[in-house]
Amino acid sequence: MFDDARQELCTLRDLLRFTVSRFNEAKLFFGHGSDNAWDEAVYLLLHALHLPLDRLEPFLDARLTAQEREQALALIERRVKKRLPAAYLTREAWLGEHRFYVDERVIVPRSFIAELLDEQLSPWIDDPWAVSDVLDLCTGSGCLAILAALAFPEAAVDAIDISPDALAVAERNVANYELGERVRLVRSDLLSEVKARRYDVIISNPPYVDAAAMRALPAEYRCEPALALASGEDGLDIVRTLLREAHKHLKPDGLLVVEIGHQREVLEAAFPQLPFTWLDTHAGDQYVFLLRREELPGA
C-alpha cells in the first residue's frame, strides 16, 4: 500500500488523509504526546517536511516534491510497521513549549508535573526565587530537572537516575539548555547516593506501572525501557521507598511532589494514614500528590 501511494499523493492534504487512514487501519496506540491519529499524523508530517509545527493550514494544498514524499512516507511506514512512538522517530518530545531530545534509552517525556512547574508550584511555593535546592528523582531524559531549573532561577538541581543510558540523554538535554552549571546529573539507585544533602523540593515521576498492566502494555509502550515503567506487583515499589526515605532529604517545610499515574486508589489504600494533597492538572486531580516534610513517615 505504501508503494502504491508514492505516485498518487500529490499534496500535503493527500498525504495527511492517507496517513490518518493508515493509522486507523493499523489500530495504532496513541499516548506519547498525542491521543488520536489526526494529531499524530499532522505532527509527523510537518516534522518530516521541516514545516512549523503550529502551521498546517497554509501548506495543505502545497504540492510535494518526490523527495519530500519519500521522506514523509518512510516516517509514516515506520510508525505503522514498527509501532515506534512518534518521539523515537523524530528524536524529540515536547512538554509545553519546551523541546527535548529523546531516543530509545529513555521513556518519552510525559508528566503532569511539567505543567505544575510551569506555574512554579504555586501556591505551594510562595517565592520561587527563594528555592535553592531541588532534586528530580528518576530523571530519565532530564526534562523535569530542566523545567525545575527554569522555574526556580536560583536553584541548584540534582537529577538522579539509575540508568547510565538515561543520564547520557539527560546530559545532552542539559547541554542544549545551557544549564550545566546548575543541573547536576547523578547516577544513583534512588536516594542511595544523595548522602546528607537536603532539598527544598523533591519532584519525581517514577516508574509506577503494576505487573498486570506491564503484561498488557500496547506495543508502543513496550518500545520504552521497562526499567523506567515497572514498579513491582502493585506499582508502588519505588514510591514506598521514596515515602520512607524522603524526610531525610528535605529541609524543614520542604515539599515532596510525585506523579503516580492511575494508582491513586492503590496508594491511598496502602498509606491510609498519610494526608496526601492531590494537585490539580489539566487531566484532573488524581495523578500527582504533594506531601510536606512534616507529613512524611519518620519526620
Side-chain angles (χ1 to χ4, degrees):
M1 182 170 292
F2 283 90
D3 289 336
D4 294 341
R6 279 171 163 78
Q7 301 306 316
E8 300 178 19
L9 303 175
C10 298
T11 67
L12 176 55
R13 189 186 299 274
D14 294 338
L15 192 57
L16 180 57
R17 198 284 307 160
F18 174 84
T19 300
V20 173
S21 295
R22 299 291 74 74
F23 283 2
N24 287 332
E25 179 184 41
K27 295 180 171 58
L28 299 184
F29 186 86
F30 306 102
H32 295 92
S34 61
D35 61 5
N36 62 82
W38 169 267
D39 286 346
E40 187 144 314
V42 168
Y43 164 67
L44 285 173
L45 292 176
L46 290 175
H47 183 278
L49 298 173
H50 307 287
L51 293 172
L53 298 181
D54 59 350
R55 294 288 188 275
L56 171 65
E57 189 65 31
F59 305 106
L60 274 172
D61 294 312
R63 294 178 63 86
L64 305 170
T65 69
Q67 182 178 7
E68 287 175 332
R69 186 168 54 242
E70 287 296 322
Q71 290 174 341
L73 284 172
L75 195 65
I76 299 308
E77 188 171 14
R78 288 187 68 205
R79 178 68 181 93
V80 169
K81 293 186 175 180
K82 300 293 186 181
R83 288 299 205 274
L84 287 169
Y88 290 162
L89 296 170
T90 63
R91 292 295 192 248
E92 69 176 20
W94 293 81
L95 290 176
E97 63 182 18
H98 299 286
R99 179 190 179 277
F100 300 97
Y101 172 85
V102 295
D103 59 34
E104 290 86 344
R105 292 174 291 178
V106 295
I107 63 169
V108 177
R110 51 188 184 277
S111 177
F112 297 114
I113 294 176
E115 64 184 88
L116 299 171
L117 289 173
D118 191 51
E119 299 172 356
Q120 298 173 301
L121 291 179
S122 175
W124 308 103
I125 297 291
D126 293 328
D127 181 4
W129 293 83
V131 175
S132 60
D133 296 282
V134 176
L135 169 63
D136 174 27
L137 190 66
C138 305
T139 196
S141 62
C143 56
L144 292 184
I146 289 167
L147 294 181
L150 298 176
F152 307 118
E154 296 297 320
V157 181
D158 282 351
I160 284 179
D161 207 285
I162 193 173
S163 166
D165 285 340
L167 290 173
V169 175
E171 183 177 21
R172 179 168 178 166
N173 282 316
V174 169
N176 287 343
Y177 278 86
E178 299 182 344
L179 286 169
E181 293 185 359
R182 293 182 51 215
V183 178
R184 182 175 72 114
L185 301 174
V186 181
R187 186 182 181 190
S188 177
D189 186 357
L190 298 181
L191 293 161
S192 62
E193 298 300 319
V194 172
K195 309 303 181 186
R197 187 159 186 182
R198 291 178 178 259
Y199 303 91
D200 300 289
V201 181
I202 296 176
I203 58 174
S204 185
N205 182 19
Y208 51 66
V209 182
D210 63 46
M214 284 296 296
R215 291 190 291 270
L217 285 178
E220 284 83 352
Y221 283 111
R222 292 199 296 273
C223 294
E224 297 182 292
L227 180 66
L229 297 171
S231 190
E233 190 63 29
D234 65 357
L236 297 184
D237 281 6
I238 290 177
V239 173
R240 284 190 177 89
T241 300
L242 187 53
L243 290 175
R244 184 175 63 248
E245 301 292 331
H247 73 278
K248 303 175 186 176
H249 304 288
L250 282 169
K251 298 176 185 179
D253 298 321
L255 302 178
L256 173 67
V257 179
V258 180
E259 186 162 333
I260 196 65
H262 295 280
Q263 302 283 49
R264 175 173 175 170
E265 291 186 5
V266 177
L267 179 69
E268 290 181 325
F271 296 93
Q273 77 283 9
L274 293 185
F276 296 107
T277 296
W278 294 93
L279 304 184
D280 288 323
T281 72
H282 76 272
D285 65 352
Q286 59 186 1
Y287 302 107
V288 181
F289 71 78
L290 176 147
L291 288 168
R292 296 186 180 277
R293 182 187 182 277
E294 58 268 23
E295 296 170 336
L296 286 164

